[in-house]
mmCIF file of all heavy atoms in Angstrom:
data_model
loop_
_atom_site.group_PDB
_atom_site.id
_atom_site.type_symbol
_atom_site.label_atom_id
_atom_site.label_comp_id
_atom_site.label_asym_id
_atom_site.label_seq_id
_atom_site.Cartn_x
_atom_site.Cartn_y
_atom_site.Cartn_z
ATOM 1 N N ASP A 617 94.087 106.128 87.190
ATOM 2 C CA ASP A 617 95.182 106.009 88.163
ATOM 3 C C ASP A 617 96.481 105.586 87.472
ATOM 4 O O ASP A 617 97.554 106.069 87.809
ATOM 5 C CB ASP A 617 94.827 104.994 89.263
ATOM 6 C CG ASP A 617 93.938 105.636 90.322
ATOM 7 O OD1 ASP A 617 93.814 106.889 90.280
ATOM 8 O OD2 ASP A 617 93.366 104.907 91.151
ATOM 9 N N ASP A 618 96.353 104.667 86.499
ATOM 10 C CA ASP A 618 97.551 104.271 85.732
ATOM 11 C C ASP A 618 98.184 105.500 85.092
ATOM 12 O O ASP A 618 99.400 105.667 85.085
ATOM 13 C CB ASP A 618 97.191 103.303 84.585
ATOM 14 C CG ASP A 618 96.717 101.950 85.084
ATOM 15 O OD1 ASP A 618 96.957 101.652 86.270
ATOM 16 O OD2 ASP A 618 96.107 101.217 84.278
ATOM 17 N N GLU A 619 97.336 106.359 84.562
ATOM 18 C CA GLU A 619 97.851 107.555 83.885
ATOM 19 C C GLU A 619 98.547 108.477 84.889
ATOM 20 O O GLU A 619 99.621 109.004 84.626
ATOM 21 C CB GLU A 619 96.724 108.287 83.150
ATOM 22 C CG GLU A 619 96.219 107.520 81.938
ATOM 23 C CD GLU A 619 95.349 108.350 80.999
ATOM 24 O OE1 GLU A 619 95.184 109.557 81.258
ATOM 25 O OE2 GLU A 619 94.821 107.774 80.033
ATOM 26 N N LEU A 620 97.900 108.623 86.062
ATOM 27 C CA LEU A 620 98.499 109.496 87.080
ATOM 28 C C LEU A 620 99.848 108.946 87.539
ATOM 29 O O LEU A 620 100.813 109.684 87.734
ATOM 30 C CB LEU A 620 97.548 109.631 88.273
ATOM 31 C CG LEU A 620 96.470 110.713 88.102
ATOM 32 C CD1 LEU A 620 95.449 110.628 89.229
ATOM 33 C CD2 LEU A 620 97.099 112.110 88.045
ATOM 34 N N THR A 621 99.907 107.623 87.671
ATOM 35 C CA THR A 621 101.162 106.987 88.077
ATOM 36 C C THR A 621 102.249 107.281 87.041
ATOM 37 O O THR A 621 103.389 107.615 87.381
ATOM 38 C CB THR A 621 100.950 105.455 88.217
ATOM 39 O OG1 THR A 621 99.822 105.251 89.047
ATOM 40 C CG2 THR A 621 102.174 104.771 88.777
ATOM 41 N N LEU A 622 101.871 107.168 85.783
ATOM 42 C CA LEU A 622 102.844 107.438 84.718
ATOM 43 C C LEU A 622 103.335 108.883 84.790
ATOM 44 O O LEU A 622 104.532 109.160 84.687
ATOM 45 C CB LEU A 622 102.210 107.164 83.344
ATOM 46 C CG LEU A 622 103.128 107.438 82.151
ATOM 47 C CD1 LEU A 622 104.194 106.364 81.999
ATOM 48 C CD2 LEU A 622 102.338 107.530 80.856
ATOM 49 N N VAL A 623 102.385 109.800 84.999
ATOM 50 C CA VAL A 623 102.755 111.218 85.084
ATOM 51 C C VAL A 623 103.734 111.420 86.239
ATOM 52 O O VAL A 623 104.771 112.078 86.089
ATOM 53 C CB VAL A 623 101.499 112.100 85.277
ATOM 54 C CG1 VAL A 623 101.890 113.533 85.628
ATOM 55 C CG2 VAL A 623 100.635 112.064 84.021
ATOM 56 N N LYS A 624 103.432 110.816 87.367
ATOM 57 C CA LYS A 624 104.289 111.026 88.553
ATOM 58 C C LYS A 624 105.679 110.427 88.337
ATOM 59 O O LYS A 624 106.670 110.941 88.838
ATOM 60 C CB LYS A 624 103.609 110.430 89.796
ATOM 61 C CG LYS A 624 102.375 111.260 90.119
ATOM 62 C CD LYS A 624 101.959 111.180 91.555
ATOM 63 C CE LYS A 624 100.916 112.251 91.810
ATOM 64 N NZ LYS A 624 99.635 111.720 92.236
ATOM 65 N N ARG A 625 105.730 109.331 87.572
ATOM 66 C CA ARG A 625 107.018 108.705 87.305
ATOM 67 C C ARG A 625 107.831 109.545 86.306
ATOM 68 O O ARG A 625 109.029 109.724 86.443
ATOM 69 C CB ARG A 625 106.781 107.285 86.758
ATOM 70 C CG ARG A 625 108.042 106.478 86.482
ATOM 71 C CD ARG A 625 107.753 104.975 86.406
ATOM 72 N NE ARG A 625 106.636 104.661 85.524
ATOM 73 C CZ ARG A 625 106.733 104.572 84.192
ATOM 74 N NH1 ARG A 625 107.888 104.793 83.589
ATOM 75 N NH2 ARG A 625 105.672 104.278 83.459
ATOM 76 N N ARG A 626 107.138 110.065 85.293
ATOM 77 C CA ARG A 626 107.846 110.747 84.199
ATOM 78 C C ARG A 626 108.180 112.201 84.512
ATOM 79 O O ARG A 626 109.160 112.735 84.002
ATOM 80 C CB ARG A 626 107.001 110.679 82.917
ATOM 81 C CG ARG A 626 106.869 109.279 82.347
ATOM 82 C CD ARG A 626 108.176 108.782 81.744
ATOM 83 N NE ARG A 626 108.590 109.621 80.630
ATOM 84 C CZ ARG A 626 109.847 109.951 80.344
ATOM 85 N NH1 ARG A 626 110.829 109.498 81.104
ATOM 86 N NH2 ARG A 626 110.140 110.726 79.316
ATOM 87 N N LEU A 627 107.346 112.816 85.361
ATOM 88 C CA LEU A 627 107.516 114.253 85.597
ATOM 89 C C LEU A 627 108.917 114.613 86.099
ATOM 90 O O LEU A 627 109.568 115.490 85.520
ATOM 91 C CB LEU A 627 106.415 114.766 86.543
ATOM 92 C CG LEU A 627 106.456 116.270 86.826
ATOM 93 C CD1 LEU A 627 106.309 117.087 85.543
ATOM 94 C CD2 LEU A 627 105.351 116.650 87.812
ATOM 95 N N PRO A 628 109.415 113.925 87.168
ATOM 96 C CA PRO A 628 110.742 114.313 87.655
ATOM 97 C C PRO A 628 111.813 114.144 86.574
ATOM 98 O O PRO A 628 112.696 114.985 86.427
ATOM 99 C CB PRO A 628 110.999 113.351 88.820
ATOM 100 C CG PRO A 628 109.723 112.649 89.090
ATOM 101 C CD PRO A 628 108.820 112.828 87.945
ATOM 102 N N VAL A 629 111.696 113.071 85.793
ATOM 103 C CA VAL A 629 112.684 112.832 84.735
ATOM 104 C C VAL A 629 112.659 113.973 83.725
ATOM 105 O O VAL A 629 113.689 114.522 83.328
ATOM 106 C CB VAL A 629 112.385 111.486 84.020
ATOM 107 C CG1 VAL A 629 113.436 111.193 82.958
ATOM 108 C CG2 VAL A 629 112.260 110.350 85.017
ATOM 109 N N MET A 630 111.444 114.342 83.333
ATOM 110 C CA MET A 630 111.314 115.412 82.336
ATOM 111 C C MET A 630 111.798 116.741 82.886
ATOM 112 O O MET A 630 112.456 117.511 82.191
ATOM 113 C CB MET A 630 109.851 115.543 81.899
ATOM 114 C CG MET A 630 109.415 114.469 80.940
ATOM 115 S SD MET A 630 107.734 114.799 80.399
ATOM 116 C CE MET A 630 107.592 113.664 79.056
ATOM 117 N N LEU A 631 111.452 117.004 84.132
ATOM 118 C CA LEU A 631 111.882 118.268 84.742
ATOM 119 C C LEU A 631 113.405 118.322 84.765
ATOM 120 O O LEU A 631 114.021 119.339 84.447
ATOM 121 C CB LEU A 631 111.343 118.394 86.173
ATOM 122 C CG LEU A 631 109.888 118.855 86.294
ATOM 123 C CD1 LEU A 631 109.404 118.708 87.731
ATOM 124 C CD2 LEU A 631 109.743 120.295 85.816
ATOM 125 N N ASN A 632 113.979 117.200 85.095
ATOM 126 C CA ASN A 632 115.427 117.090 85.133
ATOM 127 C C ASN A 632 116.037 117.344 83.760
ATOM 128 O O ASN A 632 116.947 118.145 83.599
ATOM 129 C CB ASN A 632 115.783 115.688 85.648
ATOM 130 C CG ASN A 632 117.130 115.719 86.320
ATOM 131 O OD1 ASN A 632 117.563 116.789 86.747
ATOM 132 N ND2 ASN A 632 117.792 114.575 86.407
ATOM 133 N N ASP A 633 115.448 116.633 82.732
ATOM 134 C CA ASP A 633 115.930 116.788 81.337
ATOM 135 C C ASP A 633 115.847 118.229 80.903
ATOM 136 O O ASP A 633 116.647 118.728 80.140
ATOM 137 C CB ASP A 633 115.061 115.980 80.376
ATOM 138 C CG ASP A 633 115.332 114.499 80.519
ATOM 139 O OD1 ASP A 633 116.282 114.160 81.255
ATOM 140 O OD2 ASP A 633 114.568 113.699 79.941
ATOM 141 N N ASN A 634 114.791 118.886 81.379
ATOM 142 C CA ASN A 634 114.466 120.210 80.880
ATOM 143 C C ASN A 634 115.070 121.334 81.701
ATOM 144 O O ASN A 634 114.714 122.478 81.500
ATOM 145 C CB ASN A 634 112.929 120.374 80.938
ATOM 146 C CG ASN A 634 112.343 120.384 79.552
ATOM 147 O OD1 ASN A 634 112.969 119.850 78.641
ATOM 148 N ND2 ASN A 634 111.199 120.992 79.414
ATOM 149 N N GLY A 635 115.856 120.967 82.673
ATOM 150 C CA GLY A 635 116.391 121.980 83.560
ATOM 151 C C GLY A 635 115.276 122.659 84.343
ATOM 152 O O GLY A 635 115.353 123.853 84.646
#
Side-chain angles (χ1 to χ4, degrees):
D617 279 349
D618 292 344
E619 290 194 3
L620 276 171
T621 309
L622 179 74
V623 169
K624 292 204 169 119
R625 182 161 50 81
R626 292 289 298 143
L627 182 60
V629 182
M630 283 184 168
L631 280 170
N632 207 22
D633 287 353
N634 250 24

